[in-house]
Short mmCIF file of all heavy atoms in Angstrom, two decimals:
data_model
loop_
_atom_site.label_atom_id
_atom_site.label_comp_id
_atom_site.label_asym_id
_atom_site.label_seq_id
_atom_site.Cartn_x
_atom_site.Cartn_y
_atom_site.Cartn_z
N MET W 1 -14.41 -4.62 -25.44
CA MET W 1 -15.14 -3.36 -25.45
C MET W 1 -14.39 -2.30 -26.27
O MET W 1 -15.02 -1.49 -26.97
CB MET W 1 -15.38 -2.86 -24.03
CG MET W 1 -16.30 -1.66 -23.93
SD MET W 1 -17.96 -1.98 -24.54
CE MET W 1 -18.74 -2.66 -23.08
N LEU W 2 -13.07 -2.31 -26.21
CA LEU W 2 -12.28 -1.38 -27.01
C LEU W 2 -12.46 -1.65 -28.51
O LEU W 2 -12.57 -0.72 -29.32
CB LEU W 2 -10.80 -1.47 -26.63
CG LEU W 2 -10.41 -0.85 -25.28
CD1 LEU W 2 -8.96 -1.18 -24.95
CD2 LEU W 2 -10.61 0.66 -25.30
N ILE W 3 -12.52 -2.94 -28.88
CA ILE W 3 -12.75 -3.30 -30.28
C ILE W 3 -14.14 -2.84 -30.72
O ILE W 3 -14.32 -2.25 -31.79
CB ILE W 3 -12.60 -4.83 -30.47
CG1 ILE W 3 -11.15 -5.25 -30.20
CG2 ILE W 3 -13.02 -5.24 -31.88
CD1 ILE W 3 -10.94 -6.75 -30.17
N THR W 4 -15.15 -3.11 -29.88
CA THR W 4 -16.52 -2.69 -30.18
C THR W 4 -16.61 -1.17 -30.27
O THR W 4 -17.32 -0.62 -31.12
CB THR W 4 -17.47 -3.21 -29.09
OG1 THR W 4 -17.35 -4.63 -29.01
CG2 THR W 4 -18.92 -2.85 -29.41
N PHE W 5 -15.89 -0.49 -29.38
CA PHE W 5 -15.85 0.98 -29.38
C PHE W 5 -15.36 1.49 -30.73
O PHE W 5 -15.92 2.44 -31.29
CB PHE W 5 -14.93 1.45 -28.25
CG PHE W 5 -15.01 2.91 -27.94
CD1 PHE W 5 -15.84 3.37 -26.92
CD2 PHE W 5 -14.27 3.84 -28.64
CE1 PHE W 5 -15.91 4.72 -26.61
CE2 PHE W 5 -14.33 5.19 -28.35
CZ PHE W 5 -15.16 5.63 -27.33
N ALA W 6 -14.31 0.84 -31.27
CA ALA W 6 -13.75 1.27 -32.55
C ALA W 6 -14.76 1.06 -33.69
O ALA W 6 -14.91 1.92 -34.57
CB ALA W 6 -12.47 0.50 -32.84
N PHE W 7 -15.46 -0.07 -33.66
CA PHE W 7 -16.47 -0.33 -34.69
C PHE W 7 -17.59 0.70 -34.64
O PHE W 7 -18.05 1.20 -35.68
CB PHE W 7 -17.05 -1.74 -34.51
CG PHE W 7 -16.29 -2.81 -35.24
CD1 PHE W 7 -15.39 -3.62 -34.56
CD2 PHE W 7 -16.47 -3.01 -36.59
CE1 PHE W 7 -14.69 -4.62 -35.23
CE2 PHE W 7 -15.77 -4.00 -37.28
CZ PHE W 7 -14.87 -4.81 -36.58
N GLU W 8 -18.05 1.01 -33.44
CA GLU W 8 -19.15 1.98 -33.32
C GLU W 8 -18.69 3.38 -33.72
O GLU W 8 -19.47 4.15 -34.31
CB GLU W 8 -19.69 1.99 -31.90
CG GLU W 8 -20.83 2.96 -31.65
CD GLU W 8 -22.03 2.74 -32.56
OE1 GLU W 8 -22.10 1.68 -33.22
OE2 GLU W 8 -22.89 3.63 -32.62
N MET W 9 -17.46 3.71 -33.43
CA MET W 9 -16.92 5.00 -33.87
C MET W 9 -16.93 5.10 -35.39
O MET W 9 -17.33 6.12 -35.97
CB MET W 9 -15.49 5.17 -33.35
CG MET W 9 -14.84 6.50 -33.74
SD MET W 9 -15.64 7.91 -32.95
CE MET W 9 -15.01 7.73 -31.27
N ALA W 10 -16.54 4.00 -36.06
CA ALA W 10 -16.57 3.98 -37.52
C ALA W 10 -17.99 4.12 -38.05
O ALA W 10 -18.24 4.84 -39.02
CB ALA W 10 -15.95 2.67 -38.03
N SER W 11 -18.94 3.46 -37.40
CA SER W 11 -20.35 3.54 -37.80
C SER W 11 -20.87 4.97 -37.68
O SER W 11 -21.53 5.49 -38.59
CB SER W 11 -21.20 2.59 -36.95
OG SER W 11 -22.57 2.77 -37.21
N CYS W 12 -20.57 5.61 -36.57
CA CYS W 12 -21.05 6.98 -36.33
C CYS W 12 -20.46 7.96 -37.33
O CYS W 12 -21.17 8.81 -37.88
CB CYS W 12 -20.69 7.42 -34.91
SG CYS W 12 -21.53 6.51 -33.61
N ILE W 13 -19.16 7.85 -37.57
CA ILE W 13 -18.50 8.77 -38.50
C ILE W 13 -19.05 8.58 -39.92
O ILE W 13 -19.31 9.56 -40.63
CB ILE W 13 -16.98 8.57 -38.47
CG1 ILE W 13 -16.42 9.01 -37.10
CG2 ILE W 13 -16.30 9.34 -39.60
CD1 ILE W 13 -14.95 8.70 -36.91
N THR W 14 -19.24 7.33 -40.31
CA THR W 14 -19.78 7.04 -41.65
C THR W 14 -21.17 7.64 -41.82
O THR W 14 -21.47 8.29 -42.83
CB THR W 14 -19.83 5.52 -41.89
OG1 THR W 14 -18.52 4.98 -41.79
CG2 THR W 14 -20.40 5.22 -43.27
N ALA W 15 -22.05 7.41 -40.83
CA ALA W 15 -23.41 7.92 -40.92
C ALA W 15 -23.44 9.45 -40.94
O ALA W 15 -24.21 10.06 -41.69
CB ALA W 15 -24.25 7.39 -39.76
N ALA W 16 -22.59 10.08 -40.12
CA ALA W 16 -22.59 11.54 -40.03
C ALA W 16 -22.03 12.20 -41.29
O ALA W 16 -22.58 13.20 -41.77
CB ALA W 16 -21.78 11.98 -38.81
N THR W 17 -20.96 11.64 -41.84
CA THR W 17 -20.31 12.28 -42.99
C THR W 17 -21.07 12.03 -44.29
O THR W 17 -21.13 12.91 -45.15
CB THR W 17 -18.86 11.78 -43.15
OG1 THR W 17 -18.86 10.34 -43.23
CG2 THR W 17 -18.02 12.22 -41.97
N HIS W 18 -21.66 10.85 -44.45
CA HIS W 18 -22.35 10.55 -45.71
C HIS W 18 -23.73 11.19 -45.79
O HIS W 18 -24.37 11.15 -46.84
CB HIS W 18 -22.44 9.04 -45.90
CG HIS W 18 -21.17 8.44 -46.42
ND1 HIS W 18 -20.06 8.27 -45.64
CD2 HIS W 18 -20.82 8.02 -47.67
CE1 HIS W 18 -19.08 7.75 -46.36
NE2 HIS W 18 -19.51 7.59 -47.59
N ARG W 19 -24.18 11.76 -44.70
CA ARG W 19 -25.44 12.50 -44.75
C ARG W 19 -25.33 13.66 -45.74
O ARG W 19 -26.28 13.98 -46.46
CB ARG W 19 -25.78 13.01 -43.35
CG ARG W 19 -26.97 13.95 -43.30
CD ARG W 19 -27.18 14.45 -41.88
NE ARG W 19 -28.21 15.48 -41.84
CZ ARG W 19 -28.00 16.77 -42.05
NH1 ARG W 19 -26.78 17.19 -42.33
NH2 ARG W 19 -29.00 17.65 -41.99
N ASP W 20 -24.16 14.29 -45.81
CA ASP W 20 -23.95 15.43 -46.70
C ASP W 20 -23.89 15.00 -48.17
O ASP W 20 -23.93 15.85 -49.07
CB ASP W 20 -22.66 16.16 -46.33
CG ASP W 20 -22.73 16.74 -44.91
OD1 ASP W 20 -23.84 17.09 -44.49
OD2 ASP W 20 -21.68 16.83 -44.25
N PHE W 21 -23.77 13.71 -48.39
CA PHE W 21 -23.71 13.19 -49.76
C PHE W 21 -25.07 13.23 -50.45
O PHE W 21 -25.17 13.26 -51.67
CB PHE W 21 -23.17 11.75 -49.69
CG PHE W 21 -23.20 11.01 -51.00
CD1 PHE W 21 -22.30 11.30 -52.01
CD2 PHE W 21 -24.13 10.00 -51.22
CE1 PHE W 21 -22.33 10.60 -53.22
CE2 PHE W 21 -24.16 9.30 -52.41
CZ PHE W 21 -23.26 9.60 -53.42
N LEU W 22 -26.14 13.25 -49.64
CA LEU W 22 -27.50 13.15 -50.17
C LEU W 22 -28.03 14.52 -50.61
O LEU W 22 -28.92 15.09 -50.00
CB LEU W 22 -28.43 12.54 -49.11
CG LEU W 22 -27.94 11.22 -48.48
CD1 LEU W 22 -28.87 10.80 -47.37
CD2 LEU W 22 -27.83 10.15 -49.55
N THR W 23 -27.47 15.04 -51.69
CA THR W 23 -27.83 16.38 -52.16
C THR W 23 -28.97 16.32 -53.16
O THR W 23 -29.26 15.28 -53.76
CB THR W 23 -26.62 17.06 -52.81
OG1 THR W 23 -26.23 16.31 -53.96
CG2 THR W 23 -25.44 17.13 -51.84
N GLN W 24 -29.58 17.47 -53.38
CA GLN W 24 -30.68 17.58 -54.33
C GLN W 24 -30.22 17.25 -55.75
O GLN W 24 -30.90 16.53 -56.49
CB GLN W 24 -31.26 19.00 -54.26
CG GLN W 24 -32.60 19.18 -54.94
CD GLN W 24 -33.13 20.58 -54.74
OE1 GLN W 24 -32.55 21.56 -55.22
NE2 GLN W 24 -34.25 20.70 -54.04
N ASN W 25 -29.05 17.75 -56.12
CA ASN W 25 -28.53 17.52 -57.48
C ASN W 25 -28.21 16.05 -57.72
O ASN W 25 -28.31 15.57 -58.86
CB ASN W 25 -27.29 18.38 -57.72
CG ASN W 25 -27.64 19.85 -57.89
OD1 ASN W 25 -28.75 20.19 -58.29
ND2 ASN W 25 -26.70 20.72 -57.58
N LEU W 26 -27.79 15.35 -56.68
CA LEU W 26 -27.50 13.92 -56.82
C LEU W 26 -28.74 13.15 -57.26
O LEU W 26 -28.70 12.39 -58.23
CB LEU W 26 -26.98 13.36 -55.50
CG LEU W 26 -26.84 11.83 -55.44
CD1 LEU W 26 -25.64 11.38 -56.25
CD2 LEU W 26 -26.72 11.35 -53.99
N PHE W 27 -29.85 13.37 -56.57
CA PHE W 27 -31.08 12.65 -56.90
C PHE W 27 -31.70 13.15 -58.20
O PHE W 27 -32.35 12.39 -58.92
CB PHE W 27 -32.07 12.76 -55.75
CG PHE W 27 -31.62 12.01 -54.51
CD1 PHE W 27 -31.25 12.70 -53.36
CD2 PHE W 27 -31.57 10.63 -54.51
CE1 PHE W 27 -30.83 12.02 -52.24
CE2 PHE W 27 -31.14 9.94 -53.38
CZ PHE W 27 -30.77 10.63 -52.24
N LEU W 28 -31.48 14.43 -58.51
CA LEU W 28 -31.98 14.97 -59.78
C LEU W 28 -31.27 14.29 -60.95
O LEU W 28 -31.92 13.83 -61.91
CB LEU W 28 -31.76 16.48 -59.83
CG LEU W 28 -32.14 17.17 -61.14
CD1 LEU W 28 -33.62 17.00 -61.44
CD2 LEU W 28 -31.76 18.66 -61.09
N LYS W 29 -29.97 14.22 -60.89
CA LYS W 29 -29.18 13.59 -61.95
C LYS W 29 -29.57 12.12 -62.10
O LYS W 29 -29.74 11.61 -63.22
CB LYS W 29 -27.69 13.72 -61.63
CG LYS W 29 -26.76 13.12 -62.68
CD LYS W 29 -25.32 13.41 -62.31
CE LYS W 29 -24.33 12.87 -63.34
NZ LYS W 29 -24.29 11.39 -63.36
N GLN W 30 -29.72 11.45 -60.99
CA GLN W 30 -30.09 10.03 -61.01
C GLN W 30 -31.47 9.83 -61.63
O GLN W 30 -31.67 8.93 -62.46
CB GLN W 30 -30.07 9.48 -59.59
CG GLN W 30 -30.46 8.03 -59.47
CD GLN W 30 -30.79 7.66 -58.04
OE1 GLN W 30 -31.89 7.86 -57.57
NE2 GLN W 30 -29.80 7.14 -57.31
N MET W 31 -32.43 10.67 -61.24
CA MET W 31 -33.79 10.55 -61.76
C MET W 31 -33.81 10.77 -63.27
O MET W 31 -34.46 10.02 -64.03
CB MET W 31 -34.71 11.57 -61.08
CG MET W 31 -36.15 11.55 -61.56
SD MET W 31 -37.10 12.96 -60.93
CE MET W 31 -36.40 14.32 -61.91
N LEU W 32 -33.12 11.79 -63.73
CA LEU W 32 -33.12 12.12 -65.15
C LEU W 32 -32.46 11.01 -65.97
O LEU W 32 -32.87 10.73 -67.11
CB LEU W 32 -32.39 13.44 -65.39
CG LEU W 32 -33.04 14.69 -64.77
CD1 LEU W 32 -32.13 15.89 -64.95
CD2 LEU W 32 -34.41 14.96 -65.38
N GLU W 33 -31.46 10.37 -65.42
CA GLU W 33 -30.73 9.35 -66.16
C GLU W 33 -31.41 7.99 -66.14
O GLU W 33 -31.30 7.23 -67.11
CB GLU W 33 -29.31 9.20 -65.60
CG GLU W 33 -28.40 10.39 -65.88
CD GLU W 33 -27.03 10.20 -65.27
OE1 GLU W 33 -26.85 9.25 -64.47
OE2 GLU W 33 -26.13 11.01 -65.57
N ARG W 34 -32.13 7.68 -65.04
CA ARG W 34 -32.61 6.30 -64.87
C ARG W 34 -34.13 6.14 -64.91
O ARG W 34 -34.61 5.03 -65.13
CB ARG W 34 -32.08 5.73 -63.54
CG ARG W 34 -30.58 5.55 -63.52
CD ARG W 34 -30.14 4.75 -62.31
NE ARG W 34 -28.70 4.54 -62.29
CZ ARG W 34 -28.07 3.56 -62.96
NH1 ARG W 34 -28.78 2.71 -63.69
NH2 ARG W 34 -26.77 3.41 -62.88
N TYR W 35 -34.90 7.19 -64.71
CA TYR W 35 -36.35 7.02 -64.68
C TYR W 35 -36.87 6.64 -66.07
O TYR W 35 -36.69 7.37 -67.03
CB TYR W 35 -37.04 8.30 -64.20
CG TYR W 35 -38.55 8.15 -64.07
CD1 TYR W 35 -39.11 7.53 -62.96
CD2 TYR W 35 -39.39 8.61 -65.08
CE1 TYR W 35 -40.50 7.39 -62.85
CE2 TYR W 35 -40.77 8.47 -64.98
CZ TYR W 35 -41.31 7.86 -63.86
OH TYR W 35 -42.68 7.70 -63.76
N GLN W 36 -37.50 5.48 -66.16
CA GLN W 36 -38.03 4.92 -67.41
C GLN W 36 -36.97 4.90 -68.51
O GLN W 36 -37.25 5.21 -69.68
CB GLN W 36 -39.27 5.69 -67.88
CG GLN W 36 -40.46 5.55 -66.95
CD GLN W 36 -41.74 6.11 -67.52
OE1 GLN W 36 -41.81 6.50 -68.68
NE2 GLN W 36 -42.78 6.16 -66.68
N LYS W 37 -35.76 4.51 -68.13
CA LYS W 37 -34.67 4.41 -69.10
C LYS W 37 -35.00 3.29 -70.09
O LYS W 37 -35.20 2.14 -69.70
CB LYS W 37 -33.36 4.11 -68.37
CG LYS W 37 -32.13 4.12 -69.26
CD LYS W 37 -30.87 3.90 -68.43
CE LYS W 37 -29.63 3.94 -69.31
NZ LYS W 37 -28.38 3.72 -68.52
N PRO W 38 -35.06 3.60 -71.39
CA PRO W 38 -35.52 2.59 -72.36
C PRO W 38 -34.55 1.45 -72.61
O PRO W 38 -34.95 0.31 -72.82
CB PRO W 38 -35.74 3.42 -73.64
CG PRO W 38 -34.84 4.61 -73.47
CD PRO W 38 -34.79 4.89 -72.00
N GLU W 39 -33.24 1.73 -72.60
CA GLU W 39 -32.25 0.71 -72.88
C GLU W 39 -31.17 0.73 -71.80
O GLU W 39 -30.57 1.77 -71.54
CB GLU W 39 -31.61 0.95 -74.25
CG GLU W 39 -32.59 0.82 -75.41
CD GLU W 39 -31.91 1.03 -76.75
OE1 GLU W 39 -30.67 1.19 -76.75
OE2 GLU W 39 -32.60 1.05 -77.77
N ALA W 40 -30.95 -0.44 -71.20
CA ALA W 40 -29.95 -0.56 -70.14
C ALA W 40 -28.62 -1.03 -70.73
O ALA W 40 -28.59 -1.76 -71.72
CB ALA W 40 -30.44 -1.54 -69.07
N ASP W 41 -27.53 -0.61 -70.11
CA ASP W 41 -26.20 -1.01 -70.58
C ASP W 41 -25.91 -2.48 -70.26
O ASP W 41 -25.22 -3.15 -71.01
CB ASP W 41 -25.13 -0.11 -69.94
CG ASP W 41 -25.33 1.34 -70.32
OD1 ASP W 41 -25.88 1.60 -71.41
OD2 ASP W 41 -24.95 2.22 -69.52
N ASN W 42 -26.41 -2.94 -69.12
CA ASN W 42 -26.20 -4.33 -68.70
C ASN W 42 -27.30 -4.70 -67.71
O ASN W 42 -28.18 -3.88 -67.41
CB ASN W 42 -24.81 -4.51 -68.07
CG ASN W 42 -24.51 -3.45 -67.02
OD1 ASN W 42 -25.26 -3.29 -66.06
ND2 ASN W 42 -23.41 -2.72 -67.21
N ASN W 43 -27.24 -5.93 -67.20
CA ASN W 43 -28.29 -6.39 -66.28
C ASN W 43 -28.32 -5.58 -64.99
O ASN W 43 -29.39 -5.29 -64.45
CB ASN W 43 -28.09 -7.87 -65.96
CG ASN W 43 -28.42 -8.77 -67.13
OD1 ASN W 43 -29.21 -8.38 -68.00
ND2 ASN W 43 -27.82 -9.95 -67.18
N ASN W 44 -27.14 -5.21 -64.50
CA ASN W 44 -27.09 -4.43 -63.27
C ASN W 44 -27.70 -3.04 -63.48
O ASN W 44 -28.44 -2.53 -62.62
CB ASN W 44 -25.64 -4.29 -62.80
CG ASN W 44 -25.52 -3.60 -61.45
OD1 ASN W 44 -26.12 -4.03 -60.47
ND2 ASN W 44 -24.74 -2.53 -61.40
N ASP W 45 -27.39 -2.45 -64.62
CA ASP W 45 -27.95 -1.14 -64.96
C ASP W 45 -29.48 -1.23 -65.11
O ASP W 45 -30.21 -0.34 -64.67
CB ASP W 45 -27.32 -0.63 -66.25
CG ASP W 45 -27.79 0.77 -66.61
OD1 ASP W 45 -27.60 1.69 -65.79
OD2 ASP W 45 -28.37 0.95 -67.69
N LYS W 46 -29.94 -2.32 -65.71
CA LYS W 46 -31.38 -2.53 -65.86
C LYS W 46 -32.06 -2.67 -64.51
O LYS W 46 -33.12 -2.09 -64.25
CB LYS W 46 -31.63 -3.78 -66.71
CG LYS W 46 -33.11 -4.09 -66.92
CD LYS W 46 -33.29 -5.36 -67.75
CE LYS W 46 -34.78 -5.67 -67.93
NZ LYS W 46 -34.97 -6.92 -68.71
N TRP W 47 -31.41 -3.45 -63.61
CA TRP W 47 -31.96 -3.66 -62.26
C TRP W 47 -32.08 -2.33 -61.52
O TRP W 47 -33.11 -2.04 -60.90
CB TRP W 47 -31.06 -4.63 -61.51
CG TRP W 47 -31.32 -4.73 -60.05
CD1 TRP W 47 -30.70 -4.05 -59.04
CD2 TRP W 47 -32.30 -5.57 -59.41
NE1 TRP W 47 -31.21 -4.40 -57.82
CE2 TRP W 47 -32.20 -5.34 -58.02
CE3 TRP W 47 -33.23 -6.49 -59.88
CZ2 TRP W 47 -33.00 -6.00 -57.09
CZ3 TRP W 47 -34.03 -7.15 -58.96
CH2 TRP W 47 -33.92 -6.90 -57.59
N MET W 48 -31.04 -1.52 -61.57
CA MET W 48 -31.05 -0.24 -60.86
C MET W 48 -32.07 0.72 -61.47
O MET W 48 -32.78 1.42 -60.73
CB MET W 48 -29.66 0.38 -60.89
CG MET W 48 -28.66 -0.32 -60.01
SD MET W 48 -27.09 0.57 -59.92
CE MET W 48 -26.17 -0.45 -58.77
#
């Protein structure tokens, strides 16, 4: 239970702190750079 407690604590902290990462400017920059991007740098870039 102590081990499980530690895992859940990590899950909660990760979810709570990364919520602030989802800013308006983040998605704006991403949209401008990737929406209907004509040429991809590599397969992973094309997939994204």
Side-chain angles (χ1 to χ4, degrees):
M1 188 62 86
L2 286 172
I3 295 172
T4 303
F5 193 95
F7 272 100
E8 180 57 14
M9 181 67 75
S11 173
C12 293
I13 293 173
T14 300
T17 55
H18 280 74
R19 172 183 173 274
D20 298 329
F21 173 74
L22 308 175
T23 63
Q24 194 176 65
N25 287 334
L26 171 74
F27 292 111
L28 176 62
K29 181 175 182 291
Q30 179 196 84
M31 179 190 72
L32 296 173
E33 290 178 350
R34 294 191 179 277
Y35 184 80
Q36 294 190 8
K37 186 176 181 180
E39 296 181 5
D41 299 331
N42 49 56
N43 289 335
N44 185 55
D45 184 58
K46 180 181 179 181
W47 168 266
M48 288 187 177

